[in-house]
């Protein structure tokens, strides 16, 4: 059938209008139905009903759809459902260290059989805790307070242990009070070797039970050579007396006295918070380590305890020591050969023998030390302040040393360079020496009781580029003879007037300075 143009257009318009009206009516109807259902049921249920109503099944199919929705969101079995009063997404709070349940990766020595009574041998428990922690990166060993753990010589070793283990010392660890566990002699009581990222932290104490070793100290134990410069006014010198106590304390003393804690061949190690006291010899030693941090740390031993250095550095690089209190019977900090990039600040030293570089070059050995900064240090009642000591016959060099803002109080010898060091009765004169250059002293102030400055440098290898700036040292007349500043073969510059005058320092450079041979360079 054919229609005219007008009639066709009218018919199409009429049809389109009817279709639009039907669509609008359907949309409004569905919208009202959805709103009504939302008022009565949950969203998931209404969606199910809507789907059912579109298929004209209102009763039975609604129940089936609701059942399916509920089963899809069913909770886990009751045996693994978290308690309603805890948020399962939040980590549990860290446990106390009193021997209760430990968090994952945490190993309390009490859980490995330690008694913590101060008399039972807890060495095996510590070994067991370490064996477990060694396998877990970032693990933590807990030595809880207020327990006291008697532990014999022990080694915590890598290199197959995981990184970043924490040794949390809140209680007290005590060394044996007899020589027997050490056999013929050990270099250390507690050894950490070939580890990466190890941290010793906490507020606890590590006690080396050193008094038995000090009392049995042999006559040939090395003595600090600077004692020869300290002459009492009455002309008498203190004599070391030895008492024979071997029979009551476990046999003959070994030829080697142990360091309390020694780190060997380790990287990125930290010691903080703890106290080490009464070590038989050095308290804390770092040997062949790189990346060392020591802070908020304490050493405590009597002034007359022999050779009890506070912190001893050897063949170690990139070392930071700060905010420490060091009281001992030898150097508060000792820096030996192979050390570089050493930064020390905010340290309290005393009693003790000061902060020393050396002794270096013993037995004709080569020694290399460079880039050492010691600043913001307080020293009270020490033998030395800041010191460099080398043996005749050595080789190598010490260079790039900065001592600044050192406050001394009743210090016998505040500034010392001694290239004729000898810790026994006699030493052979030799011409070769460790070369010293680039040594800067700035703002060294306070009081002294023997001599303000002692520079004794080698005839064949004079000290060069020694700079003094802001030196102000005043004498205190006590029980020692007082001496003026002393210099021998020391060349450098006075950057400001000194108190007292250091007129013996030779300005400039030596006219015929020794040319370092290949074996002298570092």
């Amino acid at each position: 059938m054919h229609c005219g143009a007008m009639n066709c257009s009218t018919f199409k318009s009429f049809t389109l209008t009817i279709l639009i009206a039907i669509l609008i009516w359907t949309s409004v109807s569905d919208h009202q139905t959805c709103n009504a259902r939302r008022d009565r049921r949950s969203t998931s249920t209404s969606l199910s009903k809507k789907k059912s109503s579109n298929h004209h099944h209102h009763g039975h199919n609604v129940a089936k759809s609701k059942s399916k929705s509920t089963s899809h969101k069913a909770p886990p079995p009751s045996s693994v459902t978290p308690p309603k009063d805890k948020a399962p997404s939040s980590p549990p709070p860290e446990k106390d260290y009193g021997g209760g349940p430990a968090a994952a990766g945490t190993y309390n020595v009490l859980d490995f059989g330690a008694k913590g009574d101060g008399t039972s041998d807890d060495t095996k428990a510590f070994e067991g805790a370490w064996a477990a922690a060694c396998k877990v990166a970032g693990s933590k060993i807990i030595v809880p307070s207020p327990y006291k753990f008697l532990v014999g010589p022990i080694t915590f070793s890598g290199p197959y242990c995981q990184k970043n283990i924490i040794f949390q010392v809140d209680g007290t660890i005590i060394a044996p009070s007899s020589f027997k566990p050490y056999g013929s002699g050990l270099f250390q009581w507690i050894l950490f070797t070939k580890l990466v990222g190890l941290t010793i932290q906490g507020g606890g104490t590590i006690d080396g039970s050193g008094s038995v070793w000090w009392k049995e100290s042999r006559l040939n134990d090395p003595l600090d050579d600077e004692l020869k410069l300290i002459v009492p006014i009455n002309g008498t010198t203190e004599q070391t007396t030895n008492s024979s106590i071997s029979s009551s304390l476990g046999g003959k003393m070994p030829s080697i006295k142990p360091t309390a804690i020694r780190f060997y061949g380790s990287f990125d190690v930290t010691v903080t918070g703890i106290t080490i006291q009464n070590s038989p010899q050095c308290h804390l030693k770092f040997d062949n380590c790189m990346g060392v941090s020591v802070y908020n740390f304490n050493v405590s031993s009597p002034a007359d305890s022999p050779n009890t250095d506070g912190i001893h550095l050897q063949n170690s690089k990139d070392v930071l020591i700060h905010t420490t209190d060091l009281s001992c019977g030898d150097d508060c900090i000792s820096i030996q050969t192979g050390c570089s990039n050493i930064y020390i600040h905010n340290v309290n030293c005393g009693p003790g023998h000061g902060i020393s570089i050396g002794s270096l070059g013993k037995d004709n050995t080569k020694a290399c030390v460079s880039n050492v900064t010691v600043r913001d240090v307080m020293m009270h009642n020490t033998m030395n302040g800041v010191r460099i000591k080398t043996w005749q016959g050595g080789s190598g060099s010490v260079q790039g040393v900065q001592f600044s803002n050192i406050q001394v109080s009743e210090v016998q010898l505040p500034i010392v360079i001694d290239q004729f060091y000898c810790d026994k009765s006699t030493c052979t004169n030799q011409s070769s020496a460790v070369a010293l250059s680039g040594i800067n002293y700035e703002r060294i102030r306070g009081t002294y009781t023997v001599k303000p400055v002692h520079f004794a440098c080698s005839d064949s290898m004079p000290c060069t580029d020694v700079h003094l700036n802001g030196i102000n040292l005043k004498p205190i007349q006590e029980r020692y003879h007082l001496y003026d500043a002393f210099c021998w073969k020391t060349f450098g510059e006075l950057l400001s007037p000194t108190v007292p005058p250091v007129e013996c320092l030779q300005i400039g450079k030596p006219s015929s300075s020794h040319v370092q041979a290949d074996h002298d360079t570092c």
Side-chain angles (χ1 to χ4, degrees):
M1 181 178 64
H2 299 281
C3 61
M6 181 68 70
N7 291 336
C8 290
S9 175
T10 303
F11 179 77
K12 289 179 180 179
S13 299
F14 177 76
T15 303
L16 180 62
T17 301
I18 293 174
L19 289 173
I20 291 173
I22 293 171
L23 289 172
I24 292 173
W25 180 83
T26 304
S27 175
V28 170
S29 176
D30 287 345
H31 178 71
Q32 291 174 345
T33 302
C34 287
N35 283 341
R37 286 168 180 166
R38 285 193 184 99
D39 291 338
R40 294 193 304 267
R41 295 175 179 83
S42 67
T43 302
S44 61
T45 305
S46 65
L47 288 174
S48 299
K49 271 200 160 188
K50 183 178 179 181
K51 183 177 180 181
S52 300
S53 66
N54 288 337
H55 289 80
H56 307 288
H57 298 290
H58 295 286
H60 174 74
N61 282 341
V62 166
K64 184 183 292 184
S65 175
K66 185 174 181 180
S67 175
K68 287 181 180 179
S69 174
T70 304
S71 63
H72 178 70
K73 294 185 177 181
S78 59
S79 60
V80 295
T81 302
K84 293 182 179 180
D85 59 342
K86 291 186 179 180
S89 60
S90 302
E94 189 171 356
K95 300 291 185 181
D96 292 333
Y97 301 147
T106 300
Y107 305 93
N108 192 320
V109 295
L110 294 175
D111 297 331
F112 290 83
K115 301 298 182 184
D117 56 15
T119 56
S120 302
D121 187 351
D122 291 326
T123 308
K124 293 294 184 183
F126 275 66
E127 290 173 343
W130 176 259
C134 177
K135 302 173 184 177
V136 182
S139 60
K140 180 182 287 188
I141 295 176
I142 305 299
V143 181
S145 173
Y147 300 93
K148 294 183 178 181
F149 302 93
L150 176 63
V151 176
I154 190 170
T155 297
F156 303 104
S157 64
Y160 302 109
C161 285
Q162 296 296 315
K163 298 180 180 179
N164 304 324
I165 298 174
I166 295 174
F167 220 101
Q168 181 78 30
V169 181
D170 293 316
T172 301
I173 303 175
I174 308 170
S177 58
S178 70
F179 306 136
K180 187 175 180 181
Y182 295 92
S184 59
L186 294 172
F187 286 111
Q188 67 282 312
W189 164 36
I190 300 174
L191 173 63
F192 294 92
T193 179
K194 299 179 181 179
L195 299 167
V196 177
L198 182 81
T199 296
I200 300 179
Q201 65 181 31
T205 300
I206 297 176
D207 192 324
S209 302
S211 59
V212 57
W213 300 85
W214 309 332
K215 292 177 182 179
E216 189 70 1
S217 181
R218 299 176 183 274
L219 286 171
N220 62 355
D221 268 3
L223 298 175
D224 198 313
D225 191 44
E226 262 57 77
L227 285 169
K228 67 179 183 294
L229 304 175
I230 302 168
V231 181
I233 293 174
N234 59 13
T236 61
T237 57
E238 296 180 3
Q239 298 293 328
T240 302
T241 59
N242 294 336
S243 59
S244 179
I245 55 175
S246 300
S247 59
S248 61
L249 291 173
K252 183 179 180 181
M253 186 180 79
S255 58
I256 300 173
K257 291 190 291 185
T259 289
I261 296 181
R262 179 183 177 218
F263 283 87
Y264 178 81
S266 296
F267 296 84
D268 297 330
V269 296
T270 300
V271 177
T272 180
I274 66 169
T275 295
I276 305 178
Q277 65 187 26
N278 303 325
S279 178
Q281 195 160 264
C282 297
H283 288 77
L284 178 62
K285 179 182 289 187
F286 296 94
D287 192 353
N288 281 278
C289 294
M290 181 176 293
V292 172
S293 181
V294 180
Y295 61 96
N296 295 334
F297 168 71
N298 300 293
V299 162
S300 179
S301 284
D304 60 352
S305 56
N307 307 118
T308 54
D309 296 59
I311 303 174
H312 184 94
L313 306 175
Q314 183 170 333
N315 294 313
S316 294
K317 298 175 174 61
D318 303 329
V319 177
L320 173 62
I321 299 171
H322 68 92
T323 322
T324 65
D325 294 321
L326 307 173
S327 303
C328 54
D330 209 313
D331 295 326
C332 291
I333 301 175
S334 173
I335 303 168
Q336 300 294 326
T337 185
C339 291
S340 63
N341 298 335
I342 311 298
Y343 189 30
I344 299 166
H345 69 92
N346 295 96
V347 170
N348 294 323
C349 170
H353 291 189
I355 294 178
S356 295
I357 297 175
S359 58
L360 304 173
K362 186 175 183 179
D363 299 325
N364 304 104
T365 57
K366 181 177 179 179
C368 298
V369 174
S370 64
N371 195 15
V372 176
T373 296
V374 178
R375 68 167 179 84
D376 302 329
V377 172
M378 296 189 67
M379 299 188 181
H380 176 69
N381 193 27
T382 58
M383 176 188 290
N384 307 286
V386 289
R387 171 172 60 161
I388 302 174
K389 49 182 180 176
T390 69
W391 290 71
Q392 297 181 72
S395 62
S397 69
V398 175
Q399 54 187 353
V401 178
Q402 179 79 27
F403 298 116
S404 66
N405 197 27
I406 312 296
Q407 184 70 38
V408 296
S409 173
E410 300 179 50
V411 171
Q412 295 168 356
L413 306 159
I415 299 175
V416 176
I417 292 178
D418 184 1
Q419 290 201 277
F420 301 89
Y421 188 80
C422 176
D423 65 3
K424 48 192 177 184
S425 57
T426 58
C427 293
T428 303
N429 289 329
Q430 301 181 61
S431 59
S432 63
V434 178
L436 270 56
S437 64
I439 316 299
N440 300 298
Y441 300 90
E442 183 177 9
R443 297 191 309 280
I444 315 293
R445 301 174 180 178
T447 58
Y448 68 94
T449 61
V450 175
K451 185 187 298 185
V453 175
H454 180 81
F455 290 148
C457 295
S458 167
D459 293 86
S460 61
M461 186 77 73
C463 301
T464 60
D465 295 325
V466 177
H467 299 93
L468 302 179
N469 186 18
I471 307 302
N472 191 327
L473 299 168
K474 298 179 180 180
I476 293 180
Q477 182 69 45
E478 289 188 335
R479 58 195 184 103
Y480 304 110
H481 286 287
L482 290 174
Y483 300 91
D484 295 331
F486 172 82
C487 310
W488 181 259
K489 299 294 183 180
T490 310
F491 294 81
E493 186 177 4
L494 298 174
L495 300 178
S496 68
T498 62
V499 179
V502 186
E503 298 173 347
C504 56
L505 182 71
Q506 300 183 59
I507 306 304
K509 296 182 180 295
S511 57
S512 58
S513 61
H514 175 82
V515 178
Q516 283 187 310
D518 290 340
H519 71 278
D520 293 327
T521 58
C522 291

